[in-house]
């Protein structure tokens, strides 16, 4: 059954707007060529979108042709303003952008553990208001929040989670009341996966898993191009995964003893101490990421002798036990008999870390067969190809399912980028929808 005229117009309009979003300003002739529509149809949709205030003439084409240059049409970027928030336990970062996603202002505020719920919410809301004012946005259309924790699939709200501050749950409602904006909330790891799929390491993948390695651990699952959240919104809570090498088992309220105890920032820092690795602290990333980055750079700069380099899965890495419960600083920096010299400490540290991370990754691969695992977060990006190659080699030994391992292209900022993409998509879906009949 052919589409009705109104449906056909709506489809054509969305097609043209998508092309203007992806390609930038275009002439009517270019729209005709890219859409395959007739010249009269393109002329009609350009007139219709211009009258709706969605596109406008933004310049002239530089093409050589007879007569005046063709007009260039572009999306009206200031038709709506957006805000994206990355909410962490220690503070908030906000970006304000236009309808095309171009950043106009950015701001951050630390929020201490002893801040009460009310003051913490007020600090975060005031930060968004100041950033919007700096951007020249008189009103925000859509606000997207990335936060740790579970998102209730029925309500879209952040569920009450042990260990997370109460102000996280109160923030969305406070922003909606104060800004009269549409407010969306999504798990931070899911947003990182969205960003990596659109702009990062997974641009060529419809199916992949993002293994988040930041202060904590998590995973996001994308299957056939769709983010999977699960029945209760808990897909990817890999920190609770029971794994060997820990002193206890996780519980429903505490992920200690699960994969979190092997891959969290605190666990990685303890592992570095056990390998006598140090690095100057950086305010730009968790210290675990700084340690991993230093080790990866040191390991990649060395030329391995024959038979050395990346240790195979299960091979000695210079430590009797790397479980979270047994890691302790050594009394001195002298290597034990039979281990590699201290100069190889970065490689041994990375081998031990890869052993740990491969355990969690192998569990995900065995169930989902994603074909690709992206090491996300600050630690995943810091490890680069050096850590990714080690984990990929271990997965090949653990699983018959071929799996490529890639480092994040975006790191920790992927959460904020994903939140901005979410806000932009939601705003455009609403503004670009055909008018009600």
């Amino acid at each position: 059954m052919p589409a009705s005229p109104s449906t056909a117009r709506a489809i054509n309009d969305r097609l043209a707007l998508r092309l203007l979003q992806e390609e930038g300003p275009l002439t009517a002739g270019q729209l005709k060529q890219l859409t395959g529509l007739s010249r009269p149809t393109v002329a009609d949709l350009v007139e219709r979108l211009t009258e709706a205030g969605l596109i406008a003439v933004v310049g002239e084409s530089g093409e050589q042709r007879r007569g005046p240059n063709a007009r260039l049409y572009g999306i009206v970027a200031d038709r709506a303003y957006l805000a994206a928030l990355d909410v962490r336990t220690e503070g908030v970062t906000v970006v304000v952008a236009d309808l095309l996603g171009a950043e106009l202002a950015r701001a951050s505020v630390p929020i201490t553990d002893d801040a009460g719920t009310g003051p913490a919410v007020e600090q975060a809301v005031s930060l968004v208001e100041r950033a919007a004012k700096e951007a020249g946005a008189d009103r925000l259309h859509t606000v997207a929040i990335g936060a740790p924790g579970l998102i209730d699939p029925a309500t879209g709200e952040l569920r009450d989670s042990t260990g997370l501050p109460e102000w996280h749950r109160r923030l969305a409602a406070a922003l909606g009341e104060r800004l009269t904006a549409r407010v969306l909330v999504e798990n931070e790891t899911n947003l990182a996966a969205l960003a990596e799929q659109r702009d990062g390491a997974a641009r060529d993948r419809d199916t992949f898993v993002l293994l988040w390695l930041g202060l904590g651990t998590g995973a996001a699952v994308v299957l056939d191009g769709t983010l999977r959240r699960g029945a209760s919104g808990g897909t990817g809570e890999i920190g609770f995964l029971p794994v060997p090498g820990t002193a206890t088992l996780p519980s429903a309220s505490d992920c200690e003893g699960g994969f979190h105890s092997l891959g969290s920032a605190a666990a990685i820092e303890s592992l570095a101490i056990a390998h006598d690795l140090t690095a100057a602290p950086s305010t730009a990333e968790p210290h675990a990421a700084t340690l991993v980055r230093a080790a990866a750079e040191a390991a990649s700069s060395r030329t391995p002798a024959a038979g050395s380099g990346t240790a195979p899965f299960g091979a000695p890495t210079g430590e009797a036990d790397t479980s979270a419960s047994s890691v302790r600083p050594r009394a001195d920096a002298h290597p034990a008999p039979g281990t590699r010299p201290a100069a190889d400490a970065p490689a041994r540290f990375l081998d031990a870390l890869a052993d740990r991370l491969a355990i969690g990754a192998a569990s995900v691969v065995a169930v989902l067969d994603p074909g690709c695992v992206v090491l996300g977060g600050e630690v995943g990006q810091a490890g680069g190809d050096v850590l990714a190659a080690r984990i990929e080699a271990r997965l090949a030994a653990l699983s018959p399912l071929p799996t490529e391992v890639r480092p994040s292209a975006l790191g920790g900022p992927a959460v904020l980028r994903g939140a901005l993409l979410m806000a932009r998509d939601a705003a455009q879906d609403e503004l670009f929808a055909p008018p009600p009949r």
Side-chain angles (χ1 to χ4, degrees), residues 36-354:
L37 299 173
S38 68
R39 190 178 300 278
T41 300
V42 169
D44 287 343
L45 74 83
V46 165
E47 181 180 359
R48 193 162 53 245
L49 294 175
T50 301
E51 290 179 352
L54 295 175
I55 68 173
V57 177
V58 296
E60 291 185 338
S61 170
E63 298 172 350
Q64 297 298 320
R65 48 167 297 180
R66 294 182 179 179
N69 289 334
R71 293 176 175 178
L72 280 170
Y73 295 92
I75 293 175
V76 179
D78 60 1
R79 174 68 186 271
Y81 294 99
L82 322 169
L85 281 74
D86 182 358
V87 176
R88 307 285 178 108
T89 55
E90 70 277 10
V92 178
T93 299
V94 60
V95 162
V96 176
D98 62 25
L99 185 58
L100 291 174
E103 183 176 323
L104 303 175
R106 177 184 293 250
S108 299
V109 64
I111 297 179
T112 59
D113 292 337
D114 58 356
T117 299
V121 170
E122 178 60 32
Q123 280 184 273
V125 174
S126 296
L127 179 75
V128 177
E129 290 177 329
R130 291 196 301 272
K133 184 177 181 180
E134 179 185 342
D138 54 352
R139 177 183 177 274
L140 293 174
H141 181 281
T142 304
V143 177
I145 303 172
L150 303 179
I151 308 299
D152 189 324
T155 64
E157 297 177 353
L158 191 64
R159 289 170 51 184
D160 188 12
S161 301
T162 303
L164 294 177
E166 176 64 19
W167 66 267
H168 280 199
R169 295 184 63 243
R170 301 282 185 86
L171 180 58
L175 285 169
E177 293 171 2
R178 192 104 134 234
L179 304 177
T180 63
R182 179 184 184 187
V183 180
L184 309 171
V185 186
E186 181 58 272
N187 174 267
E188 58 179 356
T189 306
N190 287 344
L191 289 177
L194 172 63
E196 294 286 356
Q197 185 181 32
R198 296 275 193 93
D199 301 328
R203 281 175 291 184
D204 60 337
R205 303 290 307 197
D206 287 332
T207 296
F208 71 98
V209 167
L210 180 132
L211 183 62
W212 180 263
L213 303 169
L215 290 177
T217 59
V221 177
V222 177
L223 301 177
D224 299 323
T226 302
L227 180 69
R228 305 294 180 176
R229 295 178 176 83
S232 62
T235 294
E237 289 296 320
I238 197 173
F240 288 88
L241 178 72
V243 292
T246 60
T248 184
L249 289 173
S251 68
S253 59
D254 189 356
C255 57
E256 195 64 37
F259 180 67
H260 173 86
S261 296
L262 298 183
S264 68
I268 293 172
E269 289 176 28
S270 295
L271 185 64
I273 291 173
H275 286 81
D276 303 302
L277 290 179
T278 61
S282 169
T283 58
E285 61 186 1
H287 190 51
T290 303
L291 290 164
V292 171
R293 188 184 308 279
E297 291 173 354
S300 63
S301 66
R302 290 178 57 81
T303 303
S308 66
T310 302
F313 182 75
T317 57
E319 57 179 354
D321 184 0
T322 60
S323 69
S325 60
S326 66
V327 170
R328 295 290 186 275
R330 294 200 312 218
D332 56 59
H334 300 293
T339 63
R340 285 176 276 171
D344 285 335
R348 290 187 288 109
F349 164 71
L350 291 173
D351 285 338
L353 179 58

Side-chain angles (χ1 to χ4, degrees), residues 209 211 219-221 238 241 358-370 373 401:
V209 167
L211 183 62
V221 177
I238 197 173
L241 178 72
I359 292 173
S363 300
V364 174
V365 167
V367 175
L368 297 175
D369 186 19
V373 172
L401 306 175

